Amino acid sequence: MFGLFDPLYFIILAPGLLLSLYATWRTKSTFKKYSEVGSQKRMTGAQAATIMLERNGIRNVRIEHSDGWLSDHYDPREKTLRLSNDVYSSNSLSAIGVACHEAGHAMQDAQNYGMLSLRSALVPATNFGSMFSYIFFMVGFIIQPLIYVGIALFTVCVVFSLITLPVEWDASRRAKIGMDEAGMLSPDESRHASKVLNAAFLTYLAAAVTSLLTLLYFLIRSGLLGGDE
């Protein structure tokens, strides 16, 4: 038995699934709460990101509007920071926190932050692994060696999720420092904006835990950690 048809899958993955549900709820509720609180200086997310970049001498990064809810991200290949509807033109504490976080990624790129470079290099292999690892694993019950190919592919996904943790934490650290040094927010506002970033980090932590538990499941079902083959 495998995956959704296997009770062992739910037993092993339960902590990760519960943490993921909590992290998603916490992120959405915290963002929503502080998206309704405007900053005293009425600064928008796009303006906050611009200040972060300019104060760090970064002038080759574009800031663009993007569709989707919390679709905010920094694209190191195109040197573009894309901010969602709820961040780009909003002057809320949530918008400023998220925008500065993404600007933190641009700062990492400009300063050749090693973990960001490593994560970017792993993207193609991670995309391939996330698409095909389960297929190789399932077919491996018929053609044994393919189980180990599936495990190897998924291990890349696990490494990617683990590397993501310091990358995201560092971007938030840069954002918090940048907001304070630029005087964008009052001390109380800065503390609330930081809550948004801390809640968002939980989603990356949950993803890492879930990927580790999934790998554990693979290893048990393959027989490499006991159990049956």
Side-chain angles (χ1 to χ4, degrees):
M1 302 231 295
F2 174 77
L4 297 180
F5 302 101
D6 187 354
L8 182 64
Y9 180 82
F10 290 104
I11 293 172
I12 294 178
L13 269 291
L17 295 175
L18 291 174
L19 180 58
S20 295
L21 289 173
Y22 172 74
T24 299
W25 169 81
R26 181 70 179 274
T27 299
K28 288 182 177 180
S29 62
T30 305
F31 183 88
K32 183 178 185 299
K33 177 179 180 179
Y34 292 108
S35 67
E36 298 171 355
V37 181
S39 65
Q40 294 177 7
K41 294 188 176 181
R42 317 305 294 174
M43 183 183 299
T44 66
Q47 291 171 334
T50 299
I51 291 174
M52 281 275 292
L53 297 178
E54 290 180 347
R55 285 177 60 87
N56 288 275
I58 302 173
R59 296 179 175 82
N60 64 335
V61 171
R62 299 192 309 275
I63 300 176
E64 297 181 352
H65 178 272
S66 68
D67 295 324
W69 188 78
L70 286 184
S71 58
D72 312 271
H73 66 282
Y74 171 68
D75 186 339
R77 295 168 301 176
E78 299 185 11
K79 307 297 182 187
T80 301
L81 198 161
R82 297 187 174 94
L83 301 178
S84 63
N85 295 325
D86 296 301
V87 172
Y88 187 90
S89 57
S90 171
N91 58 26
S92 72
L93 301 185
S94 289
I96 292 173
V98 171
C100 289
H101 172 88
E102 298 306 329
H105 285 308
M107 291 168 58
Q108 291 174 337
D109 185 29
Q111 297 170 10
N112 296 314
Y113 179 62
M115 298 300 280
L116 178 66
S117 300
L118 181 57
R119 186 176 73 167
S120 298
L122 284 174
V123 167
T126 301
N127 290 338
F128 184 86
S130 63
M131 291 176 61
F132 295 104
S133 57
Y134 283 86
I135 295 175
F136 276 100
F137 190 80
M138 286 187 289
V139 176
F141 283 104
I142 301 173
I143 306 173
Q144 182 69 23
L146 293 185
I147 283 184
Y148 307 116
V149 175
I151 290 174
L153 289 175
F154 194 78
T155 298
V156 176
C157 300
V158 173
V159 172
F160 180 85
S161 67
L162 293 176
I163 291 174
T164 293
L165 295 179
V167 172
E168 296 300 329
W169 184 265
D170 180 75
S172 289
R173 180 187 64 81
R174 293 171 188 261
K176 294 171 185 177
I177 293 174
M179 288 187 295
D180 289 341
E181 290 183 344
M184 298 181 194
L185 304 173
S186 69
D188 281 344
E189 289 178 327
S190 182
R191 187 174 67 256
H192 295 321
S194 294
K195 291 178 182 178
V196 176
L197 300 182
N198 294 339
F201 181 76
L202 276 179
T203 61
Y204 297 104
L205 179 61
V209 170
T210 301
S211 64
L212 280 169
L213 292 175
T214 302
L215 179 60
L216 175 62
Y217 170 77
F218 278 0
L219 292 172
I220 290 175
R221 274 294 177 239
S222 69
L224 290 177
L225 284 182
D228 49 57
E229 296 189 14

